Structures are given as C-alpha cells and as structure tokens.
Amino acid sequence: MDWPLNALMPVFDRRTRCSRKVAAAPAAVWKAMMTTTSQDLLIFKPLMTLRHGRKPGMPGRLLDGAVPIPLLSMVDGQEVVFGVIGKFWRRSSPGALPGRPDPWRFLNFGEPDWVKAAMSIWIAPEGAGTRLSTETRVYATSAKARRLFMIYWPMVFLGSRLIRLDVLRAIARRAERGGAGARRPPWDGRPPAVVPPHGSAARVALSLHEGRTRADRSPQKKIGDST
C-alpha cells in the first residue's frame, strides 16, 4: 500500500514548497531520483556541519539514508515521502520512533512535546518535460512544542530551503544527463524496501484522501504556508 504525503500528514502547522522544470521525461526523472547520491549534493554537507558541528557521514543513495531523514513510503513512479519526529530546537534531537521506519506509527504518533516533519518529492508530466517538486510539512503535537519550533524555524528556514533546492538540482541534473553521474553507485533497479502497513484501519485512513487530484494538495487544515 502506498502512502502519499496527504495521507501521512493531513494536518500541519507549516508547509514549504519548491519546484523546478526538468528537461527530461518523467521516467528519466524518476530513475534519477532513485539513483541520486549524497555526492551529487553541493551544499548539504557544509550546512549539516554547521548545524551539528561535525561532518555528517553520508555514503550512498539519498533514498538509502544518506540524508538523515528516513524514507517512509513510495508511490512508484510518482512520489517518495520521508519523515522524522524530533525536538529539532535541540542541537542533538532525539528520535521519537527508533527502529525501522513505519508510516503507520508515524501517522498515529501523538505524544506531546514533539514535532512531526514529512518531506515529499514528486514528479508530474509538464509539456515535453517534467515538473519536479518537493513539499515539507511540519506538525507540533503540543502547544509547547509549537512555540519552541516557531522560535527555532526562522533560524534554519533559509538553510532548509537551500537543501531542498540542492536536492531538486541534483536530481534534475542527473535526469537531464541521461542518468550519468560522476560517482554513481551500483543499482539493481529496485526501489528501497519499504513495508507499508496493511489492514482495514490503513485502508480507512487512505480512503479519506481518495478523489484528491495532484493539483489539489491542500489538506483539511493548515496554519501557515511559505514558499
């Protein structure tokens, strides 16, 4: 079962979006998304070093965990969703959900004083090319966490936006070059293993979002948007 961003984060406090046109077919952009590595990024390492005070270890593909946000779900050929729950205003934020990423646990987590963050990257045909987009949604599980995050967010917003633009640039560059990369690791053609939940509860959760088109990505409730 596939979990798009609207299913995993239907309610949020803040949303940011970035996109760019890619001169390549959707299939080529999707393949590039599956193979882009940390070595394709230009500014992620310097910004993460500034944030954490040390160079992050980032070998391999972005989808395999090179960027420290777990992959939660994938809609094959269309969208990938990453998600994390933390206390981001701390220099070393603890993780609320240790172990293997689980979209069902992420969706239902409600312990107070945490912040849930989900980032989606998706593609859509546009003319002779592809529209490559990313959206990040943030939701605080308590008023205290919301206040702390809103103090923290202005200090990192610019860096966060630059990282997302860097990811889009790296994917677009690989797609427009036909998948060629200077430091491309072996790839067996299969997406990373994500085991979404099953059962009637999951089907009910997703059914709430059926009928929404990709042009209407707005959830039922929102507090703030930025671009």
Side-chain angles (χ1 to χ4, degrees):
M1 184 180 296
D2 301 324
W3 288 73
L5 180 63
N6 279 336
L8 285 167
M9 186 76 84
V11 177
F12 57 85
D13 295 316
R14 187 159 293 275
R15 171 177 61 183
T16 60
R17 293 172 168 174
C18 302
S19 72
R20 66 180 290 160
K21 179 72 175 291
V22 184
V29 178
W30 181 256
K31 182 178 180 180
M33 191 188 304
M34 295 295 100
T35 55
T36 296
T37 76
S38 60
Q39 300 303 311
D40 296 319
L41 303 180
L42 296 178
I43 64 172
F44 182 83
K45 284 185 178 180
L47 288 176
M48 291 300 289
T49 300
L50 181 65
R51 170 69 171 84
H52 296 286
R54 56 183 175 82
K55 291 183 179 181
M58 294 175 20
R61 297 189 303 157
L62 301 184
L63 296 184
D64 289 333
V67 173
I69 305 176
L71 178 67
L72 288 178
S73 184
M74 179 184 301
V75 181
D76 190 43
Q78 299 178 30
E79 182 178 12
V80 294
V81 184
F82 303 85
V84 65
I85 303 174
K87 298 182 178 182
F88 307 115
W89 50 90
R90 296 183 180 179
R91 187 170 182 84
S92 297
S93 172
L97 297 177
R100 186 174 183 176
D102 185 331
W104 184 244
R105 291 174 64 200
F106 181 90
L107 174 66
N108 288 282
F109 182 87
E111 184 179 332
D113 299 338
W114 294 84
V115 171
K116 301 167 68 173
M119 183 183 78
S120 168
I121 306 175
W122 77 93
I123 63 175
E126 184 173 302
T130 303
R131 175 61 55 177
L132 175 64
S133 305
T134 179
E135 178 174 328
T136 300
R137 297 180 183 179
V138 175
Y139 175 74
T141 59
S142 68
K144 176 183 176 181
R146 187 171 295 110
R147 287 195 302 271
L148 290 170
F149 182 80
M150 292 308 178
I151 294 172
Y152 160 82
W153 180 240
M155 295 184 287
V156 300
F157 171 75
L158 178 59
S160 173
R161 181 174 178 81
L162 290 174
I163 287 172
R164 286 179 283 120
L165 290 172
D166 195 21
V167 170
L168 295 184
R169 179 207 59 80
I171 295 171
R173 183 171 181 267
R174 183 179 284 270
E176 290 171 347
R177 289 190 171 190
R183 290 173 290 272
R184 179 177 178 178
W187 181 57
D188 60 8
R190 294 176 298 175
V194 176
V195 181
H198 298 278
S200 59
R203 288 193 296 271
V204 170
L206 283 183
S207 69
L208 297 176
H209 305 280
E210 291 180 355
R212 294 191 178 187
T213 66
R214 190 161 296 276
D216 180 15
R217 302 183 64 86
S218 299
Q220 298 173 351
K221 174 184 175 183
K222 58 184 177 181
I223 297 176
D225 289 347
S226 57
T227 58

